[in-house]
Amino acid sequence: MPTCLPLVLRDCHACASKRFRANGKFRVNANHKLIDAWLLVLCTACGETAKLTVLERVNVRSVRPELLDRLHDNDPGLAAELLQDPVVRRRNRVALDWDDAWRLDTGGSDHLDREVLDVSVRFAAPIPVRPVRLIAEGCGLSRAEVERLVAEGKLVSAVRLSGRLSGDFTFTLKR
């Protein structure tokens, strides 16, 4: 599950940094019947503000009133939703860095001594993470040991465990 908003990866115009932190603040500007809205992000090195376009030259009447209220209230939940929206990321040419922005909740460690573990992994948010890393942290193993178990056929799943996943999956671990 997420613990904070991820870092936004893009070039800073003031310094050489490529990391920005979203703090949930928005800027909304209306010009007659048209509205623009941006999510403000701050450079982690110099503090320079950059804007990620959310709405651009949109007729005010076509925007849901709930969305306008959330923009005006600087809703951090809306910031999280917009950062995960692929359309917003593509429009602004940014990527997300989820390192240290999530945690693993295993429900305790009493299950680790069993011979066969049938585990169901549920994501509270679509956070791209390597399944090998999740399994290693959740079962108290090293990543190399998890990869060895996969190679030996003692760790099996219906999904490919190499690469990144951001959706729910299950796996079986035989010791």
Side-chain angles (χ1 to χ4, degrees), residues 63-75 78:
V63 179
R64 296 184 331 270
E66 311 86 48
L67 177 60
L68 278 176
D69 289 342
R70 291 177 77 187
L71 287 168
H72 287 300
D73 294 339
N74 291 320
D75 184 358
L78 178 60

Side-chain angles (χ1 to χ4, degrees), residues 9-30:
L9 301 177
R10 67 171 278 172
D11 292 330
C12 179
H13 298 293
C15 70
S17 177
K18 294 187 181 299
R19 298 181 181 283
F20 285 78
R21 180 164 305 285
N23 59 2
K25 303 278 187 207
F26 293 92
R27 177 166 182 229
V28 180
N29 186 30

Side-chain angles (χ1 to χ4, degrees), residues 3-6 21 97-103 133:
T3 57
C4 62
L5 293 175
R21 180 164 305 285
D97 179 6
W98 282 98
D99 290 349
D100 302 323
W102 60 273
R103 72 176 173 86
R133 180 178 178 193

Side-chain angles (χ1 to χ4, degrees), residues 8-110:
V8 176
L9 301 177
R10 67 171 278 172
D11 292 330
C12 179
H13 298 293
C15 70
S17 177
K18 294 187 181 299
R19 298 181 181 283
F20 285 78
R21 180 164 305 285
N23 59 2
K25 303 278 187 207
F26 293 92
R27 177 166 182 229
V28 180
N29 186 30
N31 185 1
H32 299 287
K33 296 178 184 177
L34 301 177
I35 190 167
D36 296 303
W38 300 275
L39 173 62
L40 302 178
V41 293
L42 302 173
C43 177
T44 58
C46 69
E48 180 75 17
T49 301
K51 300 184 292 188
L52 303 181
T53 302
V54 176
L55 300 173
E56 186 173 33
R57 311 300 290 164
V58 176
N59 192 311
V60 175
R61 291 184 183 194
S62 67
V63 179
R64 296 184 331 270
E66 311 86 48
L67 177 60
L68 278 176
D69 289 342
R70 291 177 77 187
L71 287 168
H72 287 300
D73 294 339
N74 291 320
D75 184 358
L78 178 60
E81 291 172 25
L82 292 171
L83 284 175
Q84 293 177 22
D85 185 353
V87 173
V88 172
R89 288 197 318 259
R90 191 171 35 255
R91 174 190 292 155
N92 292 284
R93 295 185 197 96
V94 298
L96 300 180
D97 179 6
W98 282 98
D99 290 349
D100 302 323
W102 60 273
R103 72 176 173 86
L104 179 63
D105 183 15
T106 61
S109 62
D110 59 337

Side-chain angles (χ1 to χ4, degrees), residues 155-161 169-172:
L155 178 60
V156 293
S157 178
V159 299
R160 200 176 99 226
L161 296 175
F169 69 97
T170 60
F171 67 90
T172 302

